[in-house]
C-alpha cells in the first residue's frame, strides 16, 4: 500500500547507517523488487486495457462508410437539385429518377435520394449550395400515411421547429382520389415545409392514380421545368436525345455462383435463409394448402396457406402479407424472341454515375431471363418516358413521331396514349408486336422498365389460432383486351399455380409481413362491426378466429357483427361453412349476408346496414363499437360511409356536416378503420 511504501523509504537510510546487515538488506531488496514488480504489473495491465475504448472509438464511425449527408454528396459531385421520394410501390421513385435525369437537359445536375438513407436534418443546409432546389415526390399510403421509407422524414417534419430559410422546394404528390385521405402526405409536406420557412418555387402537383397518374405527372413536369429555368435564369440545352443512366457489361466467363437468380438483397439468400425477414430478405414459405373457394360462377377465388415455421416471424390479425411474384415465363420467352436475344447471357448494368447509391437498376450480375422474370415489370402498360426513350430505335419515322407524341402533354398525344396504351392494356410485348419497326437494344429496355413490386394481401387468419401459418384469400385476375389478347394478373396467376405438394416438391412463395393499423380493439369486450364484401372478408376471418379463441380463454368478448356480400349464395359465398359454424357457436353474434344478384333488385352491404340502423346506432353511440371496412375503395367503401352518415343523421338528429364530423372523430379515435384498395 502507499502507507507501507512510505515506512520502507523512511527507515531505509537509518538501517544502513547503523550496521551493514545483509539479512535486512536482502529483505529490503526483496520487498523493494516486489513493489516495483507490482507497480510495473499495474502499469502494464492498465496499458493493455487501453485498446478497449480505442477499439470502440474505431468501431463507432463504421456506418459512415455510406455517406448520410446529401449536402456533402451534392457539393462533392457538383449537384444543385435533390429529388427525394416517398415510395411504396416504386412509382414515386421512378418519377424522382425521371426528374433528376431531366435536370441535365436544363443545364442543372440532379440526384434522386431516398430520405431513409440520408440525415434529413441537413435540409436546412441546402442554401449553402447556389441555385439549389429540393423536389419531393411523395406518395400516400393506406389511410393518409407516409410510405415506409418516408416515415422517419414525416416524424422529423412533425417534431422539427428549426428554420428552413433559403431552402427552395416543390412537391409532386401521388395518390388516389377514391381514398378518404387523397394525397395527404404530399399536401402535408408541401404545407409543413412552408411553415418551417422554406420557399415554394412551384405549385404542388396532384397525381391521381384513379384517373391517369402518368398524365398528371407529365403535365406538371412540362410546366415545372420552364418555370425553373426562369427562376434560376438558365436556358434549356435543347438536348432531347436519350440520356443513358447505366452501361452494359456482358460477362462471358463468370462463376455462376456469383450470379443473382432472383434474390432481392444478399446473393444466395434464397439458398441460405437467415432472419430477420423483410422486403430485402423475404422468407421462402412453402404452400401447404391451395384450394378454390367458390363453388361455381365465372370467377376463380382461392385460399392459400403459407407455412412460416422456423421463420421467427410474428403477425397480428389485420396485418398484410407481401409476396414477390414472378412474371409468366411464356411472355419472357416471347420478349427474347421478338428482340432476337439470348436471354441466358449474363450481364451487369452499371451506373455511369459512380457516386450514386444505386449501382444497378436491379441485382447484378444476372441474366436477361432472370431480370425479366424476377426483377422487371413487363406486364404493366409502359409509362410515357419509356416510349419517349425507345422512340429513337423505331426505323419507321411515323412510328417515332407517334411514340414521341404519346409522351408529350399535347391533348392529341394524351388521347393517343390513353387509347393505344392504357385502354388497350398494351404491355411492352404488345407494343413491340404492334410496332414492328421498333426493336430496341434489350439492355436499354431493361434500364427503362420499372421494378416488379411486391403484392400485399390482408392476412385471412389469426396468429393465436395459426401461429405458424398465414392464410391468403385472392381472386384471379384474367381478362381479354380490346386487341383480343388474354391478359393475366401477375401475382394471382402465379399464386394459382402454387400447388401444395407433399411428394417432396414444395411450391414456395417469397414473402414478408407488413404491420398494419387495422387492429381489433384492445378491450375484447368492445363490440366490432365488420363490413367486407368479396375478398374483403379476408381480415375478418382472422378477426373471427381471434374472437373465438378469446372466448375459449374465458375472456369477456363483445358483440361480433359481420356484413358480407357476394353475387350468388350458391356460387361465391366465401368461407360459408366457417362463418356459419362461428355463428352457431355464438362467436359471430350477427351474420348479415347480401347476395346481390339472387333477386331482381340488387342488394349490397350498405342496404343491410340501413335495415339494421337502430341496432348499429346503439352499438356505435352507446356501446363504443369499432367499425372495420375492407374491400373496394371506389364504390363500396364510399357507399358504406354514406350509409353511416344517413344513419347518424337520422337517429342522432344531426345535420350531414355533423354526421361527417362524427365519423371523422371515430377515425381519429381508431374506431372507424379501413383496409381498402382500388
Amino acid at each position: 500500500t502507499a502507507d507501507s511504501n512510505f515506512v520502507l523509504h523512511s527507515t531505509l537510510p537509518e538501517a544502513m547507517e547503523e550496521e551493514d546487515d545483509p539479512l535486512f538488506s536482502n529483505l529490503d531488496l526483496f520487498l523493494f523488487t516486489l513493489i516495483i514488480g507490482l507497480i510495473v504489473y499495474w502499469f502494464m495491465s492498465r496499458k493493455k486495457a487501453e485498446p478497449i475504448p480505442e477499439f470502440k472509438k474505431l468501431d463507432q464511425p463504421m456506418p459512415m462508410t455510406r455517406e448520410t449527408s446529401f449536402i456533402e454528396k451534392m457539393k462533392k459531385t457538383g449537384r444543385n437539385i435533390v429529388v427525394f421520394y416517398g415510395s411504396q410501390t416504386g412509382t414515386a421513385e421512378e418519377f424522382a429518377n425521371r426528374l433528376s435525369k431531366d435536370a441535365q437537359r436544363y443545364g442543372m445536375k440532379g440526384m434522386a435520394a431516398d430520405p431513409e438513407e440520408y440525415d434529413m436534418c441537413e435540409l436546412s443546409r441546402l442554401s449553402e449550395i447556389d441555385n439549389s432546389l429540393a423536389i419531393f415526390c411523395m406518395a400516400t399510403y393506406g389511410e393518409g400515411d407516409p410510405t415506409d421509407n418516408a416515415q422517419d422524414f414525416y416524424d422529423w417534419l412533425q417534431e422539427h421547429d428549426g428554420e428552413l430559410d433559403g431552402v427552395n422546394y416543390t412537391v409532386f404528390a401521388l395518390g388516389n382520389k377514391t381514398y378518404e385521405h387523397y394525397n395527404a402526405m404530399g399536401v402535408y409536406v408541401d404545407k409543413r415545409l412552408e411553415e418551417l420557412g422554406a420557399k415554394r418555387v412551384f405549385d404542388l402537383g396532384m397525381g391521381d392514380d384513379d384517373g391517369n397518374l402518368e398524365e398528371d405527372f407529365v403535365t406538371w413536369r412540362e410546366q415545372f421545368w420552364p418555370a425553373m429555368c426562369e427562376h434560376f435564369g438558365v436556358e434549356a440545352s435543347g438536348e432531347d436525345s436519350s440520356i443513358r443512366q447505366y452501361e452494359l457489361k456482358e460477362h462471358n466467363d463468370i462463376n455462376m455462383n456469383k450470379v443473382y437468380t432472383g434474390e432481392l438483397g444478399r446473393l444466395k439468400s434464397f439458398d441460405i435463409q437467415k432472419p430477420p425477414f423483410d422486403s430485402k430478405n423475404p422468407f421462402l414459405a412453402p404452400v401447404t394448402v391451395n384450394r378454390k373457394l367458390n363453388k361455381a360462377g365465372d370467377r376463380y377465388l382461392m385460399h392459400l396457406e403459407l407455412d412460416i415455421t422456423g421463420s421467427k416471424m410474428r403477425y397480428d390479425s389485420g396485418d398484410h402479407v407481401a409476396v414477390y411474384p414472378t412474371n409468366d415465363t411464356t411472355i419472357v420467352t416471347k420478349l427474347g424472341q421478338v428482340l432476337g436475344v439470348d436471354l441466358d447471357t449474363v450481364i451487369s448494368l452499371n451506373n455511369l454515375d459512380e457516386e450514386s447509391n444505386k449501382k444497378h437498376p436491379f441485382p447484378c450480375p444476372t441474366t436477361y431471363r432472370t431480370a425479366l422474370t424476377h426483377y422487371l415489370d413487363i406486364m404493366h402498360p409502359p409509362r410515357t418516358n419509356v416510349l419517349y426513350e425507345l422512340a429513337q430505335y423505331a426505323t419507321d419515322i411515323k412510328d417515332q413521331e407517334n411514340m414521341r407524341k404519346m409522351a408529350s402533354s399535347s391533348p392529341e398525344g394524351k388521347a393517343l396514349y390513353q387509347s393505344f396504351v392504357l385502354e388497350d392494356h398494351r404491355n411492352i410485348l404488345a407494343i413491340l408486336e404492334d410496332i414492328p419497326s421498333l426493336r430496341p437494344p434489350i439492355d436499354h429496355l431493361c434500364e427503362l422498365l420499372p421494378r416488379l413490386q411486391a403484392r400485399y394481401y390482408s392476412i385471412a387468419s389469426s396468429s393465436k389460432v395459426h401461429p405458424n401459418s398465414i392464410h391468403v384469400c385472392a381472386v384471379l385476375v384474367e381478362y381479354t383486351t380490346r386487341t383480343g389478347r388474354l391478359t393475366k394478373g401477375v401475382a394471382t396467376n402465379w399464386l394459382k399455380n402454387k400447388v401444395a405438394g407433399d411428394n417432396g416438391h414444395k411450391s414456395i412463395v417469397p414473402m414478408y409481413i407488413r404491420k398494419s393499423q387495422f387492429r381489433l380493439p384492445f378491450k375484447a369486450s368492445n363490440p366490432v362491426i365488420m363490413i367486407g364484401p368479396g375478398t374483403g372478408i379476408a381480415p375478418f376471418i382472422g378477426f373471427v378466429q381471434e374472437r373465438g379463441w378469446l372466448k375459449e380463454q374465458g375472456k369477456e368478448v363483445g358483440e361480433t357483427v359481420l356484413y358480407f356480400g357476394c353475387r350468388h349464395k350458391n356460387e361465391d359465398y366465401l368461407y360459408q361453412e366457417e362463418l356459419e359454424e362461428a355463428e352457431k357457436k355464438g362467436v359471430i353474434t350477427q351474420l348479415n349476408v347480401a347476395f346481390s344478384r339472387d333477386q331482381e333488385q340488387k342488394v349490397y352491404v350498405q342496404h343491410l346496414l340501413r335495415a339494421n340502423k337502430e341496432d348499429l346506432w346503439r352499438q356505435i353511440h352507446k356501446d363504443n363499437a369499432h367499425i372495420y371496412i375492407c374491400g373496394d375503395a371506389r364504390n363500396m367503401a364510399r357507399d358504406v360511409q354514406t350509409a353511416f352518415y344517413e344513419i347518424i343523421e337520422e337517429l342522432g338528429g344531426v345535420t350531414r356536416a355533423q354526421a361527417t364530423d362524427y365519423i371523422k372523430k371515430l377515425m381519429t379515435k381508431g374506431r372507424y378503420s379501413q383496409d381498402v384498395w382500388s
Side-chain angles (χ1 to χ4, degrees):
T1 64
D3 284 347
S4 62
N5 232 358
F6 173 72
V7 171
L8 179 71
H9 289 298
S10 59
T11 57
L12 191 61
E14 287 174 28
M16 286 183 80
E17 272 170 30
E18 282 175 25
E19 59 180 307
D20 193 12
D21 187 343
L23 180 69
F24 187 76
S25 71
N26 281 350
L27 176 66
D28 199 77
L29 208 59
F30 169 73
L31 285 170
F32 190 71
T33 310
L34 184 68
I35 285 160
I36 293 295
L38 283 168
I39 290 167
V40 170
Y41 174 76
W42 175 77
F43 188 72
M44 289 300 284
S45 65
R46 198 188 64 156
K47 268 290 185 219
K48 270 184 199 160
E50 268 187 350
I52 295 169
E54 279 298 313
F55 178 72
K56 275 193 174 160
K57 271 185 211 156
L58 278 172
D59 209 28
Q60 230 73 47
M62 279 298 276
M64 287 305 287
T65 51
R66 200 186 69 204
E67 180 73 81
T68 59
S69 166
F70 64 89
I71 297 293
E72 293 310 319
K73 190 166 180 180
M74 287 172 78
K75 286 179 175 177
K76 205 164 39 179
T77 56
R79 292 162 205 264
N80 61 333
I81 292 180
V82 57
V83 194
F84 291 106
Y85 56 85
S87 191
Q88 197 69 28
T89 61
T91 311
E93 182 179 357
E94 211 184 307
F95 286 0
N97 282 324
R98 283 160 71 175
L99 288 166
S100 72
K101 218 168 157 185
D102 280 346
Q104 246 171 294
R105 295 197 174 103
Y106 297 92
M108 296 177 244
K109 211 172 169 198
M111 66 178 252
D114 182 342
E116 200 170 34
E117 290 184 5
Y118 292 100
D119 180 359
M120 295 306 285
C121 299
E122 297 261 284
L123 200 55
S124 57
R125 292 182 56 204
L126 192 62
S127 53
E128 292 173 16
I129 296 166
D130 289 341
N131 285 346
S132 59
L133 168 70
I135 306 173
F136 295 85
C137 288
M138 306 309 286
T140 299
Y141 187 76
E143 295 298 289
D145 304 318
T147 57
D148 290 354
N149 78 312
Q151 183 65 55
D152 292 346
F153 173 50
Y154 175 72
D155 295 341
W156 177 79
L157 281 175
Q158 286 191 306
E159 294 154 16
H160 186 67
D161 52 7
E163 290 297 308
L164 294 182
D165 290 349
V167 173
N168 295 316
Y169 80 93
T170 188
V171 179
F172 183 81
L174 296 84
N176 188 311
K177 262 209 176 96
T178 58
Y179 288 75
E180 176 80 19
H181 306 278
Y182 174 51
N183 273 335
M185 182 60 181
V187 170
Y188 174 74
V189 170
D190 181 62
K191 180 171 140 283
R192 187 71 184 127
L193 289 172
E194 187 180 42
E195 286 171 0
L196 293 171
K199 184 187 178 191
R200 183 189 298 106
V201 291
F202 191 69
D203 294 340
L204 166 70
M206 297 284 267
D208 177 20
D209 204 24
D210 186 49
N212 185 336
L213 184 59
E214 178 66 18
E215 190 179 301
D216 294 337
F217 177 67
V218 168
T219 306
W220 179 85
R221 177 174 158 246
E222 289 212 354
Q223 293 165 350
F224 165 71
W225 283 116
M228 283 311 94
C229 288
E230 201 176 316
H231 181 85
F232 291 123
V234 293
E235 272 183 48
S237 61
E239 187 62 54
D240 263 357
S241 66
S242 154
I243 301 161
R244 287 295 297 263
Q245 207 176 337
Y246 299 92
E247 65 178 347
L248 171 69
K249 181 177 179 5
E250 288 189 7
H251 304 277
N252 300 317
D253 186 23
I254 190 168
N255 179 348
M256 291 310 279
N257 282 328
K258 295 204 164 76
V259 176
Y260 282 88
T261 56
E263 309 93 322
L264 293 143
R266 180 175 51 85
L267 187 68
K268 299 289 171 208
S269 62
F270 284 179
D271 297 338
I272 303 154
Q273 291 253 280
K274 289 179 189 163
F277 297 104
D278 54 27
S279 59
K280 298 279 192 298
N281 180 34
F283 177 68
L284 301 182
V287 176
T288 53
V289 173
N290 186 351
R291 62 183 168 90
K292 188 179 179 184
L293 270 177
N294 50 323
K295 301 179 190 79
D298 53 3
R299 294 187 306 160
Y300 185 98
L301 293 116
M302 61 191 123
H303 170 89
L304 284 96
E305 297 183 10
L306 310 176
D307 184 4
I308 58 165
T309 307
S311 68
K312 293 192 166 72
M313 284 194 288
R314 299 280 173 270
Y315 72 95
D316 292 300
S317 304
D319 281 344
H320 299 129
V321 58
V323 303
Y324 283 98
T326 56
N327 288 311
D328 185 338
T329 51
T330 54
I331 307 265
V332 172
T333 306
K334 269 190 194 169
L335 267 171
Q337 287 165 351
V338 167
L339 295 172
V341 175
D342 174 5
L343 292 176
D344 297 311
T345 308
V346 180
I347 58 126
S348 285
L349 284 178
N350 301 321
N351 203 321
L352 290 160
D353 173 9
E354 287 172 12
E355 293 293 331
S356 174
N357 281 9
K358 200 174 182 182
K359 301 298 174 203
H360 316 282
F362 43 78
C364 289
T366 190
T367 63
Y368 286 125
R369 189 182 303 282
T370 300
L372 294 168
T373 307
H374 292 270
Y375 300 138
L376 298 169
D377 185 347
I378 59 173
M379 294 305 291
H380 196 274
R383 297 198 184 277
T384 56
N385 65 306
V386 177
L387 300 180
Y388 182 85
E389 296 225 10
L390 294 182
Q392 61 183 309
Y393 301 113
T395 51
D396 183 323
I397 296 299
K398 192 88 186 83
D399 290 339
Q400 269 196 34
E401 283 172 6
N402 276 336
M403 288 176 75
R404 291 213 169 100
K405 192 188 287 174
M406 282 191 273
S408 76
S409 62
S410 72
E412 194 189 349
K414 284 179 182 175
L416 186 59
Y417 177 74
Q418 180 70 29
S419 159
F420 184 77
V421 180
L422 298 181
E423 287 168 13
D424 286 350
H425 296 277
R426 277 185 175 86
N427 59 28
I428 192 64
L429 176 63
I431 282 171
L432 292 171
E433 285 174 340
D434 293 346
I435 307 178
S437 92
L438 177 66
R439 291 297 176 262
I442 190 167
D443 62 294
H444 198 177
L445 183 65
C446 288
E447 174 179 320
L448 293 169
L449 289 173
R451 284 290 294 269
L452 184 59
Q453 298 293 330
R455 305 301 203 264
Y456 299 95
Y457 295 95
S458 300
I459 296 176
S461 53
S462 162
S463 57
K464 302 281 193 289
V465 183
H466 301 282
N468 291 316
S469 183
I470 280 178
H471 300 184
V472 175
C473 163
V475 59
L476 187 74
V477 176
E478 212 172 59
Y479 55 92
T480 302
T481 68
R482 295 194 309 194
T483 63
R485 291 179 171 94
L486 178 67
T487 299
K488 298 177 173 187
V490 175
T492 53
N493 277 274
W494 170 77
L495 283 172
K496 186 192 173 197
N497 295 317
K498 292 285 175 188
V499 183
D502 25 56
N503 55 355
H505 171 73
K506 284 180 179 169
S507 282
I508 53 168
V509 168
M511 52 73 70
Y512 70 96
I513 291 158
R514 187 178 192 279
K515 291 288 168 198
S516 155
Q517 299 303 312
F518 206 66
R519 286 275 176 272
L520 276 168
F522 181 68
K523 281 169 70 181
S525 56
N526 282 29
V528 298
I529 299 159
M530 305 171 287
I531 303 146
T535 54
I537 188 75
F540 303 136
I541 294 297
F543 281 14
V544 167
Q545 286 176 3
E546 189 140 328
R547 302 277 274 190
W549 180 85
L550 288 165
K551 237 178 153 64
E552 280 170 20
Q553 305 305 303
K555 296 269 193 310
E556 187 201 331
V557 178
E559 288 176 81
T560 304
V561 180
L562 176 65
Y563 288 85
F564 173 65
C566 61
R567 293 176 184 183
H568 302 280
K569 184 174 185 173
N570 298 328
E571 283 186 13
D572 52 356
Y573 187 172
L574 309 182
Y575 300 103
Q576 181 178 355
E577 292 77 14
E578 196 171 331
L579 295 173
E580 287 175 353
E581 181 63 23
E583 188 186 29
K584 210 182 289 176
K585 285 182 175 171
V587 175
I588 294 179
T589 48
Q590 211 185 101
L591 178 59
N592 309 285
V593 189
F595 303 108
S596 63
R597 299 178 190 189
D598 274 352
Q599 60 286 309
E600 214 173 302
Q601 288 296 107
K602 285 192 177 164
V603 176
Y604 296 117
V605 283
Q606 61 267 27
H607 299 130
L608 299 188
L609 291 172
R610 288 189 184 97
N612 294 335
K613 58 188 178 186
E614 280 86 4
D615 223 14
L616 279 167
W617 177 241
R618 169 188 59 80
Q619 287 157 346
I620 300 163
H621 199 60
K622 290 208 173 83
D623 302 340
N624 216 23
H626 287 235
I627 301 161
Y628 300 91
I629 297 151
C630 183
D632 159 56
R634 187 178 282 113
N635 302 308
M636 182 277 299
R638 206 174 266 178
D639 294 342
V640 163
Q641 203 157 312
T642 303
F644 276 117
Y645 290 155
E646 288 168 6
I647 292 166
I648 294 162
E649 225 178 318
E650 185 189 335
L651 299 174
V654 295
T655 64
R656 174 56 65 97
Q658 289 169 312
T660 309
D661 200 43
Y662 188 97
I663 290 288
K664 276 213 173 90
K665 283 201 175 79
L666 290 184
M667 286 176 176
T668 310
K669 288 177 184 163
R671 280 183 52 205
Y672 189 105
S673 307
Q674 299 187 92
D675 181 0
V676 293
W677 55 84
S678 72

